[in-house]
Amino acid sequence: MYKEVRSIKLKLREGKNKSVYLTDPGFFGDDVIMAFSTRFGGHSLSPYNSLNLSYLSGDEYKNVLKNRISFLEALNIDVFAGVLAGQVHGDRIEFVKEKISEFGILLPGVSVENTDGLITTSKNLPLVGTFADCVPLFFYDNVKKVVAISHAGWRGTKENIAKKTIDNIIKETGGKVSDIKVIIGPSIGSCCYEVGAELHDAFKDYSFYENICRVKNQRLYLDLWLANSIQLEQAGVLSENILVSEICTHCNNDFFFSYRKEKGNTGRMMGLIKII
């Protein structure tokens, strides 16, 4: 029914309402719901077709509302549950214990402001972020029963949001970094993330600069997957506890929204994680 997504490591699921999403293949275990939406199974028209989940994209309000309901229902999650990060491409991370609105993530303008990472130990409290090329990071500590989600574009990656999320998880729970597992979700890959010299050079002071900044056919490219993987390992996460989905949103634009490929005129996916 759907074009095969190349290098897929996550499971593909279709909810009863036809909303299509990717989910954990069993890496986190049975105590967590992790999901990343696609562009299939929604109500929006082109160029937001069809499961656009952002009110900030220019799409019609009624379509986004129906799409958010469809996405949550596909996961069998209470449609009035959830906390949304008010992302600003920064490195602020917030620990949350409960939802901030009685309507959860359904309505526009309700989010944890100026925040690119969320952490919780509360059961049945979905943590949600929006994405369209930037890197979604999903965290789970099976011992302390804590989950987190972070939004790592190039700015967040440069500010080491992956490590800062780990540090905050340990600070809040007293857990061990060796117990934390991380999934790096669908996002733009180094195959497509061409950058200018200024951005390429922004990582020059990093020890892994030569690993993540590449030159191909006299063009400059940035590898955010590897950058975040290295930062996680530098924070103490075991390499076997990091799963990189290896799914490029730009390559698979028929399957995902891609801000870069569609020149900003597009929708957004959602990443979600919840302790059951």
Side-chain angles (χ1 to χ4, degrees), residues 201-250:
D201 292 344
F203 288 86
K204 268 196 171 178
D205 293 335
Y206 290 71
S207 60
F208 48 80
Y209 169 76
E210 292 186 357
N211 300 96
I212 68 165
C213 296
R214 302 168 183 173
V215 180
K216 296 183 291 185
N217 299 321
Q218 298 183 326
R219 295 175 181 267
L220 306 176
Y221 293 85
L222 191 60
D223 190 338
L224 295 180
W225 300 345
L226 183 56
N228 281 280
S229 295
I230 292 173
Q231 289 175 342
L232 288 166
E233 290 191 43
Q234 289 178 340
V237 180
L238 303 175
S239 59
E240 59 266 31
N241 284 347
I242 302 172
L243 173 65
V244 184
S245 67
E246 297 181 0
I247 302 170
C248 175
T249 47
H250 190 283

Side-chain angles (χ1 to χ4, degrees), residues 26-122:
F27 186 69
F28 283 155
D30 298 329
D31 297 330
V32 170
I33 291 176
M34 169 265 165
F36 191 80
S37 67
T38 68
R39 63 189 306 158
F40 293 114
H43 303 272
S44 298
L45 303 177
S46 179
Y48 312 108
N49 52 305
S50 63
L51 190 62
N52 169 41
L53 296 168
S54 173
Y55 286 110
L56 302 177
S57 60
D59 196 359
E60 290 189 34
Y61 171 93
K62 64 179 181 179
N63 291 335
V64 178
L65 177 60
K66 288 191 289 185
N67 289 343
R68 288 193 178 188
I69 292 172
S70 292
F71 178 54
L72 293 171
E73 286 183 339
L75 300 170
N76 294 314
I77 289 176
D78 176 6
V79 297
F80 297 112
V83 180
L84 179 66
Q87 298 159 190
V88 292
H89 296 276
D91 63 348
R92 182 169 178 265
I93 299 151
E94 188 78 16
F95 184 83
V96 294
K97 296 182 179 180
E98 58 188 9
K99 62 184 182 180
I100 62 175
S101 166
E102 62 179 315
F103 298 104
I105 67 167
L106 290 186
L107 302 181
V110 179
S111 63
V112 183
E113 295 183 358
N114 302 317
T115 299
D116 282 79
L118 297 172
I119 302 170
T120 194
T121 54
S122 300

Side-chain angles (χ1 to χ4, degrees), residues 242-266:
I242 302 172
L243 173 65
V244 184
S245 67
E246 297 181 0
I247 302 170
C248 175
T249 47
H250 190 283
C251 283
N252 296 283
N253 182 221
D254 54 341
F255 211 91
F256 302 101
F257 301 112
S258 172
Y259 187 89
R260 171 165 288 215
K261 190 160 188 177
E262 296 173 271
K263 303 185 188 313
N265 191 25
T266 188

